[in-house]
């Protein structure tokens, strides 16, 4: 039955935690299918604020089974820390399921992420430094270590010896760093094994059975479309597939199961890390958006780069994900503007582009072409229906909807659980 996929439609940080939380008690499973603790989902419940990095947002809804599926990369130390933190705040974490096929982030992945970034200097990607890229690289090179390997000490040691044979050469000879001891890493990871064992399951089997029984599965993407390894602004991307297609491979369910793809879209644009960003504002308006929107990274605390809404990007997200519904977040942040600039295309060396240019070189040179919509002054954070929004805010939403090619089904007007206008059910 229904499998609903949630994807970030821009460069991540669109407010996905809020969207998942909205449907949290109407679904049976919430599944993370890619990425790792590079993500940062903020969920506000009452006066409590939760920042989740690796765990699915569904962990906060008592009737939901949260699942970390095969496509995720897991740093076990981080996982246990996050579980402990939630337990201390009274959250029941026993329902969690973790795929036996998920890959493990190892200490050498974290070390390599940091030294390669340092080595790149000005050309760095601006990664979160959590070892994500090197872990996915090993997965593709077939030298990765998976959750299930932790339960077979002989295999774990063999794989570790093989991996460290190479990694230590690179760490010591290329980057002049200290190598890692097999014994030490082996001890650390066998230590994690028993704590992890109760959660480990064949998550693809469980999810498919659940779908057969008519249950609702919510596939929660991290990062965003423009950070996708294939469809993003390569090489300034993450190393996994946050797009809707990645949800199938990353969770072990077939594409025919997916009934809805919800794109999370911020009413303006932000990005962390390096890479092209045509509507980025380097003036006081960028700072205005950052401060009003609280645009500071949940994971790294870095200032997010801020800019106006970019319609070609959102339209691109509709196309590569097959988005059926949009959740427009943070509309309240735009209150107080006389006119709201919206990027409708780009000028690239004198040529008008209505879609994202085919090459990175052109995208780097893309200068936004703006249209200006009427703004509104009212505080809209108390609105609970679309009709309660000022007319100009309603027009802003309707105009965006036409530009991006899919209906806006929900609107966020503040961080709280109740500050959402649901125009159509997202489930
Ligand atoms: P990595 O995923 O740590 O390898 O970082 C690669 C790029 O993706 C960098 O530009 C990061 O800033 C960005 N990135 C990774 N995770 C997130 C996220 O959850 N939100 C926004 N950007 C992210």
């Amino acid at each position: 039955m229904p499998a609903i996929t949630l994807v970030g439609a821009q460069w991540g940080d669109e407010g996905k935690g809020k969207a998942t939380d909205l449907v949290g008690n109407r679904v049976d499973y919430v599944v993370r299918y890619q990425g790792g603790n590079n993500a940062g989902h903020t969920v506000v419940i009452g006066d409590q604020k939760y920042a989740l990095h690796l765990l699915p947002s569904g962990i906060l809804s008592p009737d939901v089974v949260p699942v970390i599926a095969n496509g995720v990369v897991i740093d076990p130390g981080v996982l246990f820390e996050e579980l402990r933190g939630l337990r201390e705040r009274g959250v029941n974490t026993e329902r969690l399921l973790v795929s036996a096929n998920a890959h493990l982030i190892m200490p050498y992945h974290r070390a390599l992420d940091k030294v390669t970034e340092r080595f790149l200097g000005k050309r760095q990607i601006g990664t979160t430094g959590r070892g994500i890229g090197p872990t996915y690289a090993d997965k593709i090179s077939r030298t990765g270590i998976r959750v299930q390997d932790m339960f077979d000490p002989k295999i774990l040691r063999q794989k570790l010896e093989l991996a460290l044979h190479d990694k230590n050469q690179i760490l010591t000879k290329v980057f002049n760093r200290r190598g890692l001891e097999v014994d030490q890493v082996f001890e650390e990871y066998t230590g994690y094994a028993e704590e992890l064992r109760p959660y480990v399951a064949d998550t693809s089997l469980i999810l498919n059975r659940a779908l057969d029984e008519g249950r609702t599965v919510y596939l929660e993407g991290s990062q965003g479309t423009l950070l996708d390894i294939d469809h993003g602004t390569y090489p300034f991307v993450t190393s996994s597939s946050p797009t809707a297609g990645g949800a199938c491979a990353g969770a072990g369910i077939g594409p025919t199961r997916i009934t809805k793809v919800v794109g999370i879209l911020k009413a303006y644009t932000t990005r962390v890390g390096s890479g092209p960003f045509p509507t980025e504002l380097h003036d006081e308006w960028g700072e205005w958006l950052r401060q009003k929107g609280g645009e500071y990274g949940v994971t790294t605390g870095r200032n997010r780069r801020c800019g106006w809404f970019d319609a070609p990007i959102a339209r691109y997200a509709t196309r590569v994900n097959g988005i059926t519904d949009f959740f427009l977040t943070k509309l309240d942040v735009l209150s107080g503007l006389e006119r709201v600039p919206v990027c409708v295309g780009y000028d690239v060396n004198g040529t008008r582009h209505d879609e994202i240019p085919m090459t990175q070189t052109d995208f780097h040179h893309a200068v936004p072409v703006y249209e200006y919509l009427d703004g509104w002054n009212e505080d809209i954070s108390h609105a609970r229906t679309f009709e309660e929004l000022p007319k100009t805010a309603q027009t802003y939403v309707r105009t965006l909807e036409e530009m991006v090619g899919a209906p806006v089904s929900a609107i966020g007007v503040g961080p709280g659980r109740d500050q959402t206008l649901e125009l159509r059910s997202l489930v």
Side-chain angles (χ1 to χ4, degrees):
M1 279 281 38
I4 298 158
T5 305
L6 170 114
V7 293
Q10 293 149 322
W11 277 285
D13 307 318
E14 298 91 353
K16 293 181 284 291
K18 182 170 166 57
T20 313
D21 185 55
L22 171 71
V23 296
N25 47 17
R26 286 181 254 163
V27 302
D28 301 299
Y29 292 79
V30 174
V31 185
R32 275 213 46 194
Y33 57 85
Q34 48 71 231
N37 58 308
N38 48 349
H41 292 173
T42 310
V43 183
V44 180
I45 304 176
D47 57 356
Q48 295 286 311
K49 189 170 173 180
Y50 299 89
L52 302 172
H53 297 284
L54 182 55
L55 290 166
S57 312
I59 194 102
L60 301 171
S61 306
D63 299 325
V64 168
V65 179
V67 179
I68 297 180
N70 57 281
V72 176
V73 289
I74 300 174
D75 189 326
V78 172
L79 175 65
F80 297 138
E81 199 50 49
E82 209 162 286
L83 285 171
R84 212 167 295 131
L86 287 180
R87 275 198 300 265
E88 279 167 15
R89 294 173 72 179
V91 177
N92 179 342
T93 58
E94 281 168 15
R95 305 163 334 270
L96 177 70
L97 298 177
V98 176
S99 169
N101 287 351
H103 278 247
L104 294 171
I105 299 179
M106 308 297 290
Y108 46 86
H109 292 134
R110 288 193 302 268
L112 283 167
D113 194 358
K114 290 192 183 121
V115 288
T116 43
E117 277 285 278
R118 216 166 292 151
F119 176 78
L120 283 169
K122 276 208 305 220
R123 287 172 304 158
Q124 66 177 220
I125 292 162
T127 72
T128 57
R130 306 294 196 263
I132 308 296
T135 308
Y136 278 112
D138 275 4
K139 172 176 175 174
I140 301 302
S141 304
R142 295 167 291 188
T143 52
I145 300 182
R146 299 194 288 177
V147 164
Q148 58 185 280
D149 298 326
M150 287 206 282
F151 306 116
D152 186 336
K154 207 168 125 209
I155 288 284
L156 178 64
R157 182 172 275 279
Q158 252 177 32
K159 291 195 172 181
L160 252 179
E161 277 169 2
L162 200 71
L164 279 177
H165 178 263
D166 278 15
K167 307 295 183 213
N168 277 344
Q169 300 277 339
I170 299 171
L171 282 170
T172 55
K173 297 195 177 142
V174 179
F175 294 110
N176 206 19
R177 299 288 139 145
R178 225 177 298 150
L180 294 154
E181 297 288 339
V182 173
D183 283 347
Q184 211 175 332
V185 183
F186 178 79
E187 299 261 300
E188 184 187 343
Y189 278 69
T190 43
Y192 292 138
E194 283 322 300
E195 201 175 342
L196 193 60
R197 197 186 284 272
Y199 301 110
V200 179
D202 184 341
T203 52
S204 163
L205 181 66
I206 290 171
L207 292 174
N208 278 283
R209 282 195 178 145
L211 288 166
D212 288 342
E213 287 164 9
R215 301 200 186 275
T216 307
V217 171
Y218 204 71
L219 302 149
E220 182 187 32
S222 295
Q223 289 83 47
T225 302
L226 275 296
L227 286 173
D228 185 277
I229 187 79
D230 280 282
H231 303 292
T233 45
Y234 190 91
F236 303 104
V237 292
T238 193
S239 298
S240 63
S241 299
T243 46
C248 296
I253 65 167
T256 47
R257 298 284 204 174
I258 295 187
T259 48
K260 222 177 219 190
V261 179
V262 180
I264 313 302
L265 187 62
K266 214 183 294 201
Y268 50 97
T269 316
T270 62
R271 159 163 219 176
V272 281
S274 322
F277 178 0
T279 62
E280 180 172 16
L281 295 162
H282 298 282
D283 56 12
E284 69 271 22
W285 288 110
E287 195 48 41
W288 185 82
L289 284 173
R290 187 173 305 116
Q291 281 189 15
K292 260 195 111 189
E295 298 296 349
Y296 309 96
V298 180
T299 301
T300 58
R302 289 181 287 184
N303 277 1
R304 292 180 185 145
R305 300 158 64 192
C306 297
W308 301 122
F309 187 80
D310 186 327
I313 279 177
R315 199 156 54 239
Y316 176 77
T318 307
R319 167 157 48 102
V320 298
N321 292 295
I323 288 172
T324 57
D325 299 74
F326 274 108
F327 187 141
L328 188 68
T329 59
K330 292 195 160 181
L331 186 63
D332 55 305
V333 173
L334 295 181
S335 293
L337 290 168
E338 202 176 311
R339 294 186 319 156
V340 193
V342 171
C343 167
V344 293
Y346 312 107
D347 180 288
V348 181
N349 304 320
T351 305
R352 163 79 185 235
H353 287 250
D354 292 321
E355 303 294 337
I356 294 187
M358 187 180 74
T359 68
Q360 269 306 293
T361 308
D362 278 354
F363 198 44
H364 271 278
H365 293 116
V367 177
V369 176
Y370 286 113
E371 265 179 22
Y372 296 86
L373 305 181
D374 288 337
W376 58 94
N377 265 321
E378 296 87 334
D379 170 9
I380 59 170
S381 61
H382 302 291
R384 291 297 173 268
T385 63
F386 187 70
E387 290 66 34
E388 285 175 59
L389 292 176
K391 279 278 172 289
T392 46
Q394 294 186 18
T395 307
Y396 184 76
V397 175
R398 292 300 178 214
T399 310
L400 258 46
E401 207 167 42
E402 267 173 42
M403 289 176 177
V404 303
V408 171
S409 296
I411 301 169
V413 292
R417 203 171 218 185
D418 57 336
Q419 290 178 299
T420 299
L421 325 180
E422 207 173 350
L423 282 58
R424 290 200 307 167
S425 174
L426 285 177
V427 178

